[in-house]
Amino acid sequence: MSLYLPALIIGFAHPGRWLEFARRPLMPMLLALFGWATVSLVWSNARRPADEFLRLLTVLLFLFAVVQGLGNDPRRQRGLLLCGAGVLTATAVAAMVKFALYSPAGDRLIGFGVMANANLIGAAMGAGILWLWPWRFQRTGHRLLKWLAMALMATSLLLTYSRSAWIALFTAVFVLLAVRRSERAWQRLVLLFAVALGVAIAAYPELTERGLSFRPQIFEYALGLIAQHPWLGWGLGASFTIPVEAGTGMFQVHTHNLFTQVAVELGLPGLLLWLAVWLGLGWRAWHFRQEPLGRVILGLWLFASVMVQFDLPHLIDSPRPGWLILWLPLALSLSLSPVAIKRRPVQ
């Protein structure tokens, strides 16, 4: 309520801001996607279509609230991300203490509430690291706090044994270092490869024990679902099951892949609209890569682009860790100016 209520008050007090918000880059395409998703509720077998529609409104209001709250003020943008990283650091510490005292089944660290899953808390920790990574601090104490927070979140991320989060974070950090084009950045790239190789070797038995976790079979079955209703889809929030091992009763209720999940629910039109939004977001992030906020968005975009290939498949959902890597970077991008300011390359 602390986020949505002020946004609603601003929206009702200044109706023109809704129109200005709708005209921001990427918003027309996103509104078209939301409109199509709303229409798809007509043929969806969702148990509570009204809830699905309210989730759409929640996402839209979240984007509006972030834009109105942050505007183009770098201090507010930075403050929001630093406070969020602080909360996630505290969560990482609490989760590791809980993990040390009560090791869960499977020996994988999990979080609390909406993060009570190894992949979900892995996504949140990856987001927190990328929120901190691009910002520079003048005071030594602040720099130490930054690296301590990142180390704590990275440790909790390692303990999740979330392979998708590991690969996604490696990809994001690799690109963020590569675009710096400085000697220190290249030195850190070498260190990144060394750390990644060491982790992969040390965790190899645990990483290979789970195999491919039925992902190829789920993907193949998802393609069959898409083929049944390629143009209209099954509808937003549609209920379906995917058997993962014949004869055992094991099944999944989603495709474990964001893009196939969107195609199943919203058909090829919905998938194309979402691809236009997501690729447009990536282009804007790259265009603003010389700015700290642009690098935050680029890092989150890269992280999400990899992770949603294997986990976090729901695009329209109630507030969950997936929002931190999908809707938050989009909201932050709406706070950027329409045209990037030409500056010298980042050193």
Side-chain angles (χ1 to χ4, degrees), residues 10 75 99 132:
I10 292 173
R75 292 177 299 177
F99 180 74
L132 284 176

Side-chain angles (χ1 to χ4, degrees), residues 119-163:
N119 293 322
L120 292 176
I121 191 173
M125 293 302 117
I129 292 170
L130 294 169
W131 291 348
L132 284 176
W133 181 273
W135 301 107
R136 293 184 176 181
F137 298 88
Q138 300 301 322
R139 296 182 181 179
T140 302
H142 291 170
R143 290 198 297 269
L144 291 175
L145 282 176
K146 168 187 172 178
W147 288 102
L148 175 61
M150 291 174 63
L152 289 170
M153 286 187 284
T155 302
S156 66
L157 175 55
L158 285 173
L159 293 174
T160 65
Y161 284 92
S162 174
R163 294 170 292 184

Side-chain angles (χ1 to χ4, degrees), residues 255-318:
T255 69
H256 269 286
N257 178 288
L258 177 69
F259 299 100
T260 55
Q261 183 76 22
V262 170
V264 168
E265 292 188 13
L266 304 180
L268 296 180
L271 176 61
L272 291 175
L273 286 170
W274 172 244
L275 283 174
V277 173
W278 191 244
L279 294 177
L281 175 60
W283 172 247
R284 280 180 58 78
W286 179 259
H287 205 50
F288 283 89
R289 66 188 182 279
Q290 296 181 14
E291 308 292 330
L293 185 63
R295 292 196 294 277
V296 170
I297 299 170
L298 179 60
L300 291 173
W301 185 85
L302 290 163
F303 182 85
S305 294
V306 174
M307 187 160 190
V308 299
Q309 303 299 325
F310 312 99
D311 295 295
L312 280 67
H314 294 293
L315 178 63
I316 308 299
D317 203 353
S318 53

Side-chain angles (χ1 to χ4, degrees), residues 78-347:
R78 176 175 163 135
L80 171 68
L81 294 170
L82 295 184
C83 288
V87 172
L88 287 176
T89 300
T91 302
V93 172
M96 287 189 288
V97 170
K98 177 185 176 183
F99 180 74
L101 296 176
Y102 309 101
S103 182
D107 292 327
R108 299 176 65 191
L109 181 143
I110 60 174
F112 314 91
V114 295
M115 289 191 289
N117 173 282
N119 293 322
L120 292 176
I121 191 173
M125 293 302 117
I129 292 170
L130 294 169
W131 291 348
L132 284 176
W133 181 273
W135 301 107
R136 293 184 176 181
F137 298 88
Q138 300 301 322
R139 296 182 181 179
T140 302
H142 291 170
R143 290 198 297 269
L144 291 175
L145 282 176
K146 168 187 172 178
W147 288 102
L148 175 61
M150 291 174 63
L152 289 170
M153 286 187 284
T155 302
S156 66
L157 175 55
L158 285 173
L159 293 174
T160 65
Y161 284 92
S162 174
R163 294 170 292 184
S164 57
W166 287 11
I167 297 171
L169 184 61
F170 173 84
T171 302
V173 173
F174 174 85
V175 174
L176 291 177
L177 287 173
V179 299
R180 297 291 292 273
R181 298 181 182 178
S182 66
E183 183 178 350
R184 176 181 290 185
W186 288 110
Q187 292 173 351
R188 290 180 176 177
L189 272 176
V190 174
L191 178 61
L192 175 66
F193 272 106
V195 170
L197 182 61
V199 169
I201 293 174
Y204 182 79
E206 289 80 4
L207 293 177
T208 56
E209 183 180 0
R210 286 180 283 148
L212 297 178
S213 300
F214 303 107
R215 294 302 192 272
Q217 296 94 319
I218 294 173
F219 182 77
E220 182 180 1
Y221 198 91
L223 292 181
L225 292 176
I226 296 170
Q228 292 180 36
H229 303 284
W231 300 112
L232 297 180
W234 289 65
L236 181 64
S239 177
F240 57 86
T241 59
I242 299 178
V244 294
E245 194 167 350
T248 66
M250 296 177 61
F251 61 91
Q252 291 287 338
V253 294
H254 55 71
T255 69
H256 269 286
N257 178 288
L258 177 69
F259 299 100
T260 55
Q261 183 76 22
V262 170
V264 168
E265 292 188 13
L266 304 180
L268 296 180
L271 176 61
L272 291 175
L273 286 170
W274 172 244
L275 283 174
V277 173
W278 191 244
L279 294 177
L281 175 60
W283 172 247
R284 280 180 58 78
W286 179 259
H287 205 50
F288 283 89
R289 66 188 182 279
Q290 296 181 14
E291 308 292 330
L293 185 63
R295 292 196 294 277
V296 170
I297 299 170
L298 179 60
L300 291 173
W301 185 85
L302 290 163
F303 182 85
S305 294
V306 174
M307 187 160 190
V308 299
Q309 303 299 325
F310 312 99
D311 295 295
L312 280 67
H314 294 293
L315 178 63
I316 308 299
D317 203 353
S318 53
R320 294 178 182 273
W323 279 39
L324 303 180
I325 62 174
L326 290 174
W327 297 120
L328 181 60
L330 180 59
L332 293 174
S333 78
L334 296 175
S335 299
L336 296 170
S337 59
V339 180
I341 300 173
K342 297 293 184 182
R343 295 190 179 182
R344 294 169 54 189
V346 178
Q347 299 296 324

